[in-house]
Amino acid sequence: MRINESWDKNITLLSLDGKTTDPNELQVVWASFSFYDCEYTAAVSKKDIEKDTPNVALEGDSILFDSFNSLIEDACWEKLKMCFERYQTYLIQLDNEEY
């Protein structure tokens, strides 16, 4: 799911993916970001959202990795949680369009 949404002057949410088409089976959402000139993918799990535990699995460029990790888990945690709900809603809408 392509997004291309600016979260601030340095962070842009590029896309969301959940590796499933069934909204009821969705356990993890991967959010792709650009941060300055680097790209990162953050995985947020349903379990961590339910516990409200900012525990993000992050992959990407080693440059600014620690800075982005701290930022995404602290200042952007609420937005990241919304990404999970947003992607789940997207899957539900796709499912409804098929019928």
Side-chain angles (χ1 to χ4, degrees):
M1 172 180 176
R2 293 252 178 245
I3 306 284
N4 204 28
E5 176 181 285
S6 179
W7 282 13
D8 73 14
K9 68 179 185 172
N10 300 315
I11 300 175
T12 302
L13 173 62
L14 302 173
S15 64
L16 298 173
D17 190 5
K19 308 295 185 207
T20 182
T21 57
D22 185 345
N24 298 314
E25 292 183 14
L26 188 62
Q27 296 299 312
V28 176
V29 167
W30 286 266
S32 296
F33 294 93
S34 66
F35 179 61
Y36 290 95
D37 291 333
C38 302
E39 290 196 9
Y40 299 95
T41 301
V44 61
S45 74
K46 182 178 182 177
K47 180 176 77 172
D48 290 336
I49 291 170
E50 289 171 347
K51 290 195 267 184
D52 200 22
T53 304
N55 184 21
V56 178
L58 189 64
E59 296 178 352
D61 296 319
S62 60
I63 301 169
L64 301 175
F65 186 90
D66 292 334
S67 296
F68 185 71
N69 191 41
S70 295
L71 186 64
I72 204 76
E73 286 186 345
D74 297 333
C76 297
W77 175 242
E78 292 302 316
K79 285 184 178 184
L80 197 55
K81 289 190 318 186
M82 294 302 297
C83 285
F84 191 95
E85 183 178 322
R86 187 175 184 178
Y87 190 75
Q88 194 168 36
T89 300
Y90 167 75
L91 290 179
I92 291 168
Q93 290 172 345
L94 282 179
D95 194 41
N96 288 339
E97 288 176 6
E98 290 179 5
Y99 295 106

